[in-house]
Amino acid sequence: MVDSQYFLPNDIGISALDCTEAFRLLSPREKLYAHYLSRSAWYGGLAVLLQTSPESASIFVLLQRLFRKQPAAQLESMATAAGLSPEEYQAFLVYAAGLYANMGNYKSFGDTKFIPNLPKEKLKALVWQSQAFQDSPSEMEALWDSCSTLLFSLEDQQKQLGLGDKGVTTYFSGNCCLEDAELAQKFLDSKNLSAYNTRLFKNKSEEGKASYEVRLASAVQKGESAMSFLKSYDCVFMVSRGDYAYLMKKVSENLEKAKEHAANENQKRMLEEYAQSFTFGSIEAHKEGSRFWIKDKGPIVESYIGFIESYRDPFGSRGEFEGFVAVVNKAMSERFAKLVSSAEVLLPELPWPKDFEKDRFLLPDFTSLDVLTFAGSGIPAGINIPNYDDIRQSEGFKNVSLGNVLAVAYATQKDKLTFLDEEDKDMYIKWKGPSFEVQVGLHELLGHGSGKLFVQDEKGTFNFEQDNVRNPETGEQITTWYKGNETWDSKFSTISCSYEECRAECVGLYLCLNKHVLSIFGHEDEDANEVVYINWLNMVRAGLLGLEFFTPESKSWRQAHMQARFVILRVLLEAGEGLVTLKESTGKDGRPDALITLDRSKVHTVGKAAIERFLCKLQVIKSTADVEGGRALYEGYSAVSDTGSHNFLRLRETVLLRKEARKMFVQANTRVKGHVELVEYEGSAAGLIRSFTERFADDAEEVEAHLLELNKRDAPCCGRSLKSV
């Protein structure tokens, strides 16, 4: 019997992202700008299929061919003829919607594989009954044969993403392990190359030497260069261009079209540099584009695109492609602007010495946006970008909160609220939205936007007073720092993403206690107290829910944010004095349950003191590049065991028993017919599917053929054969 965590439930929440009014208010020029940026994002987002698993692209093409010929309603009669029950057909639609929403067959939030909740033979029968099969039987059979085994397989290694024997990844060839990833990072650092837009492929040894290919994402495919690595490692690295070449070409072409409708010179220069980056595989060009993006203050249409977040690279250095296009929500943005203007007053409130804070806080844009397009594996609630350390430290960044995502993603029904007592549930439903808005604002602006990295550059110059600055934890001089081209991601690698999310979450918890912050968001007196209480309660509950994303077999975490929240739960439990209590129980249904409570009278005392101490440690370790100390601290709190005051392994089973599936979003399309039209879809599995089949309607066959060709190119590197389709 298959564990239910590998299925998406038939009643999973699916909501349409509403951007009708925001889009309506755009001028014709702004609509064209948004349209071509969206096209660029959607084409680039297809690269995520190739970044997720060996089979994702083939499954995507299979689904596209089925539903392009017959919409979900029409295909249902074929399903009945093939012997599927209504529940089984709905399970297939939910699976298809899940693959589209996650851009692959692994959950974007948790990195767990999901498979169709119906027998393989019945899905095959449906494919054979379909119009797509009747029109092209040999092609459809070959396509089914190429992916059907992996589509349903739940072998241990295939249950989650990971490197080597810990899971599946296509950021590395199947024969790579952690040591290969570390070696490649040293090579990249030595050549001043970023890992963000790369993948690593290990070839068979030649003449006793290991041979590696570092493949850059670019439209241009020429320009390979063999580079011998440090003699002590006795191996060869070759850097080549042309990964996702067809997709990168489409991205660049649409960026050039968007440039014709740009509102100002900064937008034009930004898009020129982005197009250069995707054409030639240059991260330097992308960084230059990001500089112009930062300078583009308060645009009506906001966007960002590239290889951005490194959560899903098992080594924590390579970026997953994403692109978003959104419209500013002016009313909500006013609140965030007030928070920005207060930042220089709030930063000194953080619990580390001023030497550990940036020399100058560069006031960023912070806007609330209604998403029109978000292409990638998932949609976050807020973003702080760019992720380039050198730009963030000295030139600035932007923050965005995605308002129409928040509006539907965190709506909660009381009967689905787990692990809280009844009184807390009522308050939670009322105040979860307002409190999360405060947390997102603080997390993005003053969490990710705070803190200094101590650096010694290539010329030997330090950006801090080496003789005078003391470690507040030890009172001693600083003995470690970042050197040359080292970055936060490259130094802290596998823990970098989750550690940084934990630091940002702690900043949110700490500063939400500030009355001025709460008043900025319109919360005063008793309402302010409720916002604080629910924000902290939500965090400790999220820490418990985070256990879903821990894999006991490999002792590894599959989701950076949820690991961070579990760590915070551990810190607050450790604080004692009854601040947080976590008890196992038996539910009304007779099954294992749990109850987590927070003593609101101790949040400002015991809770604040605990977060203050922990947050200072996190920042000092980050500033000083103390990798050894950081790993010891963070991995210690991340440990999940059945010993100690709480049996977290047993609690994990309870969490899995009562978990609720994460919602999926249906996004609109745009199309040009004399003017730009917004095409919206219903919030259902069928609506989500239709949005994707119509997304590439003009060149579907070309796109699908190139996806299969790109997938075929990867096949020898991914440790399996791909039959010709």
Side-chain angles (χ1 to χ4, degrees):
M1 189 171 177
V2 177
D3 192 323
S4 63
Q5 69 173 308
Y6 301 109
F7 296 135
L8 300 178
N10 279 9
D11 62 352
I12 190 170
I14 302 176
S15 300
L17 280 184
D18 181 17
C19 60
T20 309
E21 184 64 12
F23 188 79
R24 186 185 67 81
L25 294 173
L26 295 179
S27 70
R29 181 173 183 171
E30 289 164 347
K31 287 179 179 178
L32 282 164
Y33 182 66
H35 168 74
Y36 287 114
L37 287 175
S38 293
R39 297 311 301 156
S40 187
W42 287 125
Y43 282 117
L46 294 174
V48 178
L49 294 163
L50 301 162
Q51 291 182 299
T52 299
S53 72
E55 65 274 15
S56 286
S58 297
I59 300 171
F60 176 87
V61 174
L62 178 71
L63 295 174
Q64 287 289 86
R65 291 186 177 175
L66 284 172
F67 290 112
R68 277 199 296 110
K69 291 287 185 180
Q70 293 170 288
Q74 289 183 21
L75 192 61
E76 186 169 11
S77 61
M78 304 294 104
T80 303
L84 277 71
S85 68
E87 293 74 22
E88 288 170 332
Y89 184 62
Q90 178 63 19
F92 169 59
L93 294 183
V94 165
Y95 174 82
L99 187 116
Y100 289 130
N102 292 278
M103 268 290 96
N105 60 336
Y106 286 76
K107 296 174 187 175
S108 64
F109 201 86
D111 294 342
T112 306
K113 189 173 186 177
F114 58 95
I115 66 172
N117 190 11
L118 70 159
K120 181 178 178 181
E121 297 73 23
K122 288 197 174 184
L123 181 52
K124 180 178 179 180
L126 171 58
V127 172
W128 260 245
Q129 284 280 346
S130 70
Q131 188 63 49
F133 190 90
Q134 303 308 314
D135 291 349
S136 305
S138 58
E139 286 187 27
M140 290 297 288
E141 183 171 1
L143 193 51
W144 171 263
D145 288 344
S146 74
C147 65
S148 58
T149 299
L150 288 172
L151 194 155
F152 280 91
S153 176
L154 281 175
E155 293 182 14
D156 286 345
Q157 186 180 350
Q158 293 166 2
K159 288 179 178 178
Q160 64 281 317
L161 298 179
L163 184 58
D165 59 4
K166 290 189 175 182
V168 169
T169 181
T170 49
Y171 286 104
F172 299 85
S173 56
N175 55 353
C176 283
C177 59
L178 182 60
E179 289 73 20
D180 296 304
E182 291 171 340
L183 190 62
Q185 189 62 56
K186 291 176 181 177
F187 164 73
L188 291 168
D189 289 343
S190 75
K191 300 298 180 183
N192 196 21
L193 288 172
S194 169
Y196 270 121
N197 65 339
T198 70
R199 293 194 291 168
L200 182 69
F201 299 93
K202 184 178 181 180
N203 301 313
K204 293 180 180 179
S205 299
E206 297 177 10
E207 300 176 0
K209 293 184 178 181
S211 174
Y212 297 91
E213 179 190 3
V214 176
R215 199 180 288 174
L216 303 178
S218 69
V220 170
Q221 301 185 57
K222 297 178 181 178
E224 294 186 355
S225 57
M227 305 180 187
S228 294
F229 190 38
L230 303 176
K231 290 183 180 179
S232 58
Y233 293 100
D234 197 29
C235 59
V236 174
F237 280 79
M238 180 181 73
V239 179
S240 65
R241 291 189 172 102
D243 212 5
Y244 327 117
Y246 170 79
L247 300 177
M248 295 301 100
K249 183 172 182 287
K250 300 292 282 187
V251 170
S252 297
E253 288 173 351
N254 281 280
L255 290 175
E256 292 290 347
K257 291 177 181 177
K259 190 177 75 170
E260 297 174 14
H261 309 284
N264 55 55
E265 195 61 28
N266 279 325
Q267 287 183 0
K268 290 178 182 177
R269 295 292 302 279
M270 169 188 83
L271 296 177
E272 286 172 0
E273 295 293 343
Y274 288 165
Q276 281 284 303
S277 173
F278 299 127
T279 300
F280 297 103
S282 168
I283 288 295
E284 287 305 312
H286 194 269
K287 291 172 76 172
E288 194 62 26
S290 297
R291 292 185 172 98
F292 287 112
W293 178 70
I294 293 168
K295 294 174 185 176
D296 184 28
K297 300 288 187 182
I300 300 299
V301 177
E302 184 62 282
S303 68
Y304 197 64
I305 190 169
F307 294 88
I308 312 300
E309 303 293 354
S310 55
Y311 301 124
R312 300 184 94 190
D313 169 17
F315 191 66
S317 294
R318 289 152 188 81
E320 183 176 76
F321 191 96
E322 70 179 43
F324 77 82
V325 184
V327 182
V328 172
N329 181 318
K330 292 182 180 179
M332 186 62 70
S333 295
E334 287 178 6
R335 295 184 185 179
F336 291 126
K338 290 179 182 177
L339 186 64
V340 170
S341 65
S342 301
E344 291 178 294
V345 177
L346 294 171
L347 279 170
E349 298 290 318
L350 291 171
W352 50 76
K354 65 178 183 178
D355 291 318
F356 288 77
E357 191 47 68
K358 292 187 178 96
D359 300 329
R360 184 166 64 98
F361 184 76
L362 300 158
L363 295 179
D365 253 11
F366 197 163
T367 49
S368 177
L369 306 174
D370 285 341
V371 171
L372 170 65
T373 294
F374 205 112
S377 66
I379 308 179
I383 317 170
N384 174 286
I385 36 181
N387 285 335
Y388 304 118
D389 289 336
D390 50 345
I391 294 178
R392 294 167 62 84
Q393 291 282 314
S394 60
E395 298 176 59
F397 53 90
K398 282 186 182 182
N399 298 274
V400 298
S401 174
L402 304 179
N404 57 344
V405 176
L406 285 169
V408 296
Y410 300 99
T412 309
Q413 296 175 342
K414 186 174 180 179
D415 61 346
K416 291 189 175 182
L417 260 181
T418 52
F419 312 129
L420 298 178
D421 67 27
E422 292 303 309
E423 185 179 346
D424 278 343
K425 285 181 181 181
D426 291 328
M427 286 187 291
Y428 187 95
I429 289 170
K430 181 178 180 180
W431 294 106
K432 168 70 186 298
S435 69
F436 197 70
E437 178 186 285
V438 173
Q439 180 69 12
V440 168
L442 294 171
H443 174 114
E444 300 297 345
L445 176 67
L446 298 170
H448 292 314
S450 64
K452 180 175 181 174
L453 302 184
F454 293 164
V455 179
Q456 181 185 22
D457 65 22
E458 293 91 337
K459 297 177 182 178
T461 304
F462 291 90
N463 71 340
F464 66 102
E465 295 183 14
Q466 189 188 9
D467 295 331
N468 298 325
V469 177
R470 292 289 187 274
N471 184 323
E473 297 291 310
T474 64
E476 299 174 356
Q477 277 189 302
I478 305 303
T479 58
T480 56
W481 49 80
Y482 299 85
K483 299 175 182 176
N485 297 316
E486 291 178 341
T487 66
W488 163 250
D489 284 339
S490 69
K491 286 288 287 183
F492 285 77
S493 63
T494 54
I495 67 166
S496 63
C497 291
S498 185
Y499 186 111
E500 174 59 12
E501 294 304 332
C502 185
R503 194 183 70 88
E505 291 284 47
C506 286
V507 168
L509 287 180
Y510 190 73
L511 289 180
C512 83
L513 301 174
N514 185 297
K515 289 184 178 179
H516 176 58
V517 167
L518 295 165
S519 68
I520 288 172
F521 287 89
H523 307 303
E524 305 282 355
D525 303 324
E526 188 56 35
D527 285 358
N529 293 333
E530 299 299 340
V531 166
V532 169
Y533 176 64
I534 295 304
N535 194 35
W536 279 63
L537 180 65
N538 182 51
M539 187 63 68
V540 294
R541 177 177 179 262
L544 177 60
L545 297 179
L547 287 168
E548 174 190 344
F549 303 95
F550 178 77
T551 303
E553 293 78 9
S554 59
K555 296 182 179 179
S556 61
W557 285 87
R558 308 186 311 277
Q559 215 294 317
H561 298 79
M562 299 310 283
Q563 179 183 358
R565 291 157 187 163
F566 176 76
V567 166
I568 292 170
L569 170 62
R570 290 281 310 276
V571 169
L572 295 177
L573 283 168
E574 184 181 81
E577 299 187 45
L579 173 68
V580 178
T581 57
L582 174 58
K583 296 179 180 178
E584 295 184 69
S585 62
T586 301
K588 293 178 181 178
D589 57 5
R591 300 188 299 173
D593 206 341
L595 178 67
I596 192 161
T597 57
L598 173 72
D599 187 338
R600 67 164 66 215
S601 70
K602 295 177 180 176
V603 169
H604 284 267
T605 53
V606 180
K608 182 179 180 181
I611 291 297
E612 185 175 277
R613 289 190 299 271
F614 186 60
L615 186 50
C616 186
K617 287 181 182 178
L618 290 175
Q619 182 56 49
V620 169
I621 286 169
K622 181 181 180 182
S623 291
T624 59
D626 180 10
V627 178
E628 186 176 337
R631 285 196 177 278
L633 176 73
Y634 202 68
E635 291 174 352
Y637 278 109
S638 297
V640 178
S641 73
D642 56 3
T643 60
S645 56
H646 297 91
N647 187 332
F648 285 115
L649 282 175
R650 189 167 63 216
L651 279 164
R652 175 181 175 272
E653 296 301 317
T654 302
V655 169
L656 286 173
L657 183 69
R658 298 186 178 276
K659 72 183 182 73
E660 182 183 2
R662 195 172 176 83
K663 286 183 179 177
M664 298 191 287
F665 300 111
V666 183
Q667 299 184 57
N669 285 320
T670 55
R671 63 186 177 201
V672 179
K673 290 200 172 180
H675 62 281
V676 182
E677 296 179 354
L678 184 71
V679 184
E680 296 182 283
Y681 306 90
E682 67 176 19
S684 66
L688 206 163
I689 292 164
R690 187 180 164 206
S691 73
F692 266 89
T693 57
E694 294 186 2
R695 194 152 283 152
F696 305 99
D698 294 339
D699 52 3
E701 292 186 4
E702 178 186 302
V703 169
E704 292 163 15
H706 278 282
L707 267 178
L708 293 176
E709 188 58 37
L710 289 169
N711 205 35
K712 188 176 179 181
R713 181 190 179 197
D714 287 353
C717 307
C718 295
R720 92 282 188 246
S721 61
L722 186 72
K723 295 183 180 180
S724 178
V725 292

